[in-house]
């Protein structure tokens, strides 16, 4: 997208970028890792979801979808509350951190606290060598490239949502 693009060209480029993010994420998916996470979610006593800014929206969306299938899940946009709830987790729980670049300090910290408390920790990021991915027990990678304008982190959010929804729709209800 360039500043000189007409509205129709911008819309076409945005649509192509979103489709590309979903297709690349689906092609690069580690299916066994996704299955491990999905089964852990269904079995979990509680799931904490961490994300800031645009990734917070993905966390909120997943929280609602998990609640609809009967899973206990929570997300707080307040990073202090996220760390506090993460410290209450155990081996019966799952914590998931969302960050496109994998370097959002608040998300990394909450994930580390949850992991150290015993929870299965999952990173959803586009950077496999990021601090978030390396801190997690399991990293699920998205493949989204944001435009230089980074208007609301659209591609990364779409890829994160596609990744979480891909397996979630086939999950059995929790016991």
């Amino acid at each position: 997208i360039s500043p000189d693009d007409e509205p129709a060209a911008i819309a076409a480029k945005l649509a192509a970028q979103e489709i590309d993010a979903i297709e690349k994420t689906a092609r690069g998916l580690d299916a066994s890792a996704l299955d491990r996470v999905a089964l852990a979610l269904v079995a979990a006593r509680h799931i904490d979801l961490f994300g800031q800014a645009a990734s917070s929206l993905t966390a909120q969306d997943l929280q609602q979808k998990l609640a609809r299938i009967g899973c206990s899940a929570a997300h707080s946009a307040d990073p202090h509350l996220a760390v506090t709830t993460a410290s209450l987790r155990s081996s019966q729980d799952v914590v998931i951190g969302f960050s496109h670049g994998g370097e959002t300090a608040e998300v990394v910290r909450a994930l580390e606290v949850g992991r150290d408390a015993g929870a299965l920790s999952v990173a959803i990021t586009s950077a496999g060598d990021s601090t978030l991915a390396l801190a997690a027990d399991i990293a699920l990678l998205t493949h989204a490239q944001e435009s230089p304008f980074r208007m609301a982190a659209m591609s990364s959010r779409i890829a994160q949502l596609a990744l979480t929804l891909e397996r979630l729709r086939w999950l059995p209800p929790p016991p």
Side-chain angles (χ1 to χ4, degrees):
I1 299 173
S2 70
D4 298 331
D5 284 343
E6 295 293 322
I10 292 171
K13 288 179 181 182
L14 285 174
Q17 189 173 354
E18 306 314 317
I19 291 166
D20 185 57
I22 292 169
E23 288 177 344
K24 284 181 179 175
T25 297
R27 280 194 306 270
L29 192 62
D30 180 343
S32 65
L34 185 59
D35 277 344
R36 284 180 53 211
V37 171
L39 294 173
L41 291 176
V42 171
R45 176 185 63 135
H46 184 77
I47 303 152
D48 272 337
L49 307 162
F50 311 124
Q52 294 294 301
S55 292
S56 177
L57 299 174
T58 306
Q60 289 174 44
D61 188 75
L62 182 57
Q63 177 190 5
Q64 181 208 34
K65 287 172 175 48
L66 289 168
R68 284 186 173 183
I69 63 168
C71 295
S72 173
H75 165 68
S76 174
D78 179 335
H80 301 286
L81 183 55
V83 168
T84 302
T85 61
S87 72
L88 301 173
R89 296 304 132 228
S90 73
S91 60
Q92 298 175 323
D93 304 311
V94 176
V95 294
I96 302 175
F98 294 88
S99 173
H100 173 59
E103 298 300 336
T104 305
E106 298 86 351
V107 175
V108 172
R109 177 74 179 128
L111 186 90
E112 289 173 337
V113 168
R115 179 203 63 209
D116 292 347
L120 175 71
S121 60
V122 180
I124 298 182
T125 181
S126 67
D129 60 348
S130 66
T131 305
L132 183 66
L134 297 174
D137 297 312
I138 301 172
L140 299 175
L141 300 180
T142 60
H143 298 278
Q145 190 168 9
E146 292 297 343
S147 95
F149 299 112
R150 189 140 164 129
M151 300 173 302
M154 289 174 51
S155 292
S156 58
R157 199 168 72 238
I158 293 294
Q160 289 171 349
L161 285 171
L163 178 70
T164 59
L165 295 177
E166 176 55 36
R167 183 63 175 92
L168 191 60
R169 61 191 189 132
W170 302 110
L171 286 179

